[in-house]
Amino acid sequence: MQVLVGGETAHSVDIRAALVRDNWVVAALVLVIVAAVLALLLRSVLAPVYLIGTLVLSFTATLGLTTFITVTLLGDAGIGNRVAIYIFVFLVALGVDYTIFLMSRYRQELSAHPPRAALRVALTRSGGVISSAGLILAATFAVLTTQPIRELFQFGLAMAIGILLDTFVVRPLLVPAIMRLIGDKALWPSMPENVFENPVDVTQTGRAGGTWSRS
């Protein structure tokens, strides 16, 4: 025997179940597309793996901080059903934008410097632009916290936190640290054809003879 229950509560339960399913589908599609774009742009199989990992970690930390502030400190009943997926999509889009900017610069500098020096130069020359863009976007999204609608407040707060976290912690610290640990294989299967025996002065603008190829 099948029993059907109607009413506002049952309707809300059905909507929540559908949203949860849709959220997983959207999140998976976004990550697959972003990974494919990174793989094609960087000509690497390994790089998209740890870069996607940093994006997911950034989102998780952002959602945790937002939940703590809004629920524990401000007394909200919870995070809105649609807020989490909105945060995820926007943070991944903005985070991968900064990632592409940094990694493209790194790959470009590899033609003149060994991996460690190339990473230092890429951070130095792209860090200011990424930081400035992050501050502007964070301030823009923070304006939403002035709205009386709680979902907009939560979304604006989360985006401001997430962008600042991504701009000043994930991109300039976590991603370079991972790349430094991986070393020459950070863009595997692209590998340097030769090893730079003598350090290259990162202040020089001239090009050295190092080249990269796909192994």
Side-chain angles (χ1 to χ4, degrees):
M1 181 178 64
Q2 184 179 13
V3 179
L4 301 178
V5 180
E8 187 65 28
T9 301
H11 182 65
S12 298
V13 170
D14 290 340
I15 292 178
R16 184 176 183 83
L19 285 174
V20 169
R21 183 186 65 251
D22 292 345
N23 288 350
W24 283 108
V25 172
V26 170
L29 287 175
V30 168
L31 292 180
V32 169
I33 293 173
V34 168
V37 171
L38 288 174
L40 291 173
L41 179 66
L42 301 177
R43 300 175 185 176
S44 172
V45 175
L46 179 59
V49 175
Y50 60 80
L51 293 176
I52 287 294
T54 61
L55 292 173
V56 174
L57 183 62
S58 177
F59 163 74
T60 304
T62 298
L63 190 60
L65 284 173
T66 303
T67 302
F68 175 75
I69 294 173
T70 57
V71 177
T72 304
L73 299 182
L74 301 181
D76 287 357
I79 299 295
N81 291 335
R82 300 173 180 85
V83 172
I85 192 61
Y86 291 163
I87 296 171
F88 179 82
V89 171
F90 276 84
L91 276 185
V92 169
L94 294 173
V96 77
D97 187 36
Y98 297 154
T99 298
I100 289 174
F101 190 70
L102 173 63
M103 296 300 291
S104 297
R105 186 71 191 195
Y106 170 69
R107 187 175 182 84
Q108 178 183 354
E109 294 298 333
L110 283 172
S111 62
H113 309 290
R116 186 174 182 178
L119 181 59
R120 187 185 306 118
V121 174
L123 283 171
T124 302
R125 295 181 178 177
S126 64
V129 177
I130 294 177
S131 299
S132 300
L135 286 173
I136 294 173
L137 281 173
T140 302
F141 279 106
V143 174
L144 293 176
T145 59
T146 62
Q147 300 301 305
I149 302 175
R150 295 310 295 176
E151 288 192 350
L152 282 179
F153 174 87
Q154 293 173 353
F155 176 71
L157 177 64
M159 289 303 302
I161 293 174
I163 292 172
L164 291 176
L165 186 65
D166 193 270
T167 302
F168 294 101
V169 178
V170 177
R171 277 338 109 192
L173 298 178
L174 182 59
V175 170
I178 294 174
M179 295 173 64
R180 181 68 185 90
L181 290 174
I182 297 174
D184 293 347
K185 297 182 180 180
L187 292 180
W188 185 87
S190 294
M191 298 290 289
E193 291 183 346
N194 52 50
V195 178
F196 293 81
E197 296 180 357
N198 299 318
V200 178
D201 186 358
V202 298
T203 61
Q204 295 178 352
T205 57
R207 294 294 180 182
T211 58
W212 278 63
S213 67
R214 188 176 305 178
S215 61

